[in-house]
Amino acid sequence: QVQLVESGGGLVQAGGSLRLSCAASGRTLSTYVMGWFRQAPGKEREFVAAVGRNTYTTYYAATVTGRFTISRDNAKSTVYLQMNSLLPEDTAVYYCAAGLAGVASPPMTYAHWGQGTQVTVSS
C-alpha cells in the first residue's frame, strides 16, 4: 500500500509555470509506475503524463507534450510534474496515481490515488 499527497497547485496566469509534487509514503515508490491525471469541472478524468519505474520511460498526453515534464526521485519518494506555458484549458484538479501496469495504461489500472491539487490558469 502507498499513500500519495499532492502539492504545488495554485493560481497562475496563462503562459506561466507551476511544479506539482507528489510525496509517497508506505510501500517503496520504485515499485510503481507513477502517473498524473486531471479532471476539469463537468469532464471525465484524463491522463496527463506517466513515468516508468526506471525514471527514463515517460509518456504524455498530446495536449501537454512539449509543455509538461514528469520526473521522479525514488530516493525522495517524490514525483514531479513541471508545467510550463500553461493555458486556461489546463485548469483542473490534478491527481497523482501509482500503478503496476505500463506507462500507457488507462486510469483503471492505477490502484492508488492522491486527494488532488487545484490548478487554475487565468487568461
Side-chain angles (χ1 to χ4, degrees):
Q1 192 80 359
V2 63
Q3 293 77 42
L4 305 172
V5 178
E6 301 95 335
S7 61
L11 174 63
V12 64
Q13 288 189 329
S17 299
L18 282 175
R19 188 175 82 153
L20 305 183
S21 298
C22 173
S25 61
R27 195 171 177 183
T28 304
L29 186 67
S30 59
T31 302
Y32 298 97
V33 168
M34 299 300 297
W36 285 97
F37 295 80
R38 66 187 183 187
Q39 188 167 18
K43 294 188 176 182
E44 297 284 325
R45 186 170 298 188
E46 64 174 2
F47 169 79
V48 175
V51 59
R53 298 173 185 82
N54 59 19
T55 78
Y56 300 116
T57 303
T58 57
Y59 184 66
Y60 296 92
T63 53
V64 306
T65 297
R67 299 188 299 122
F68 291 10
T69 302
I70 189 171
S71 62
R72 66 191 295 164
D73 186 335
N74 288 334
K76 295 183 178 180
S77 294
T78 303
V79 180
Y80 305 98
L81 185 68
Q82 178 66 44
M83 304 186 296
N84 299 328
S85 302
L86 282 161
L87 304 169
E89 48 263 47
D90 293 319
T91 295
V93 177
Y94 282 70
Y95 297 90
C96 174
L100 298 176
V103 293
S105 301
M108 67 181 68
T109 64
Y110 287 79
H112 307 287
W113 293 81
Q115 83 291 349
T117 185
Q118 176 70 47
V119 171
T120 303
V121 184
S122 63
S123 57

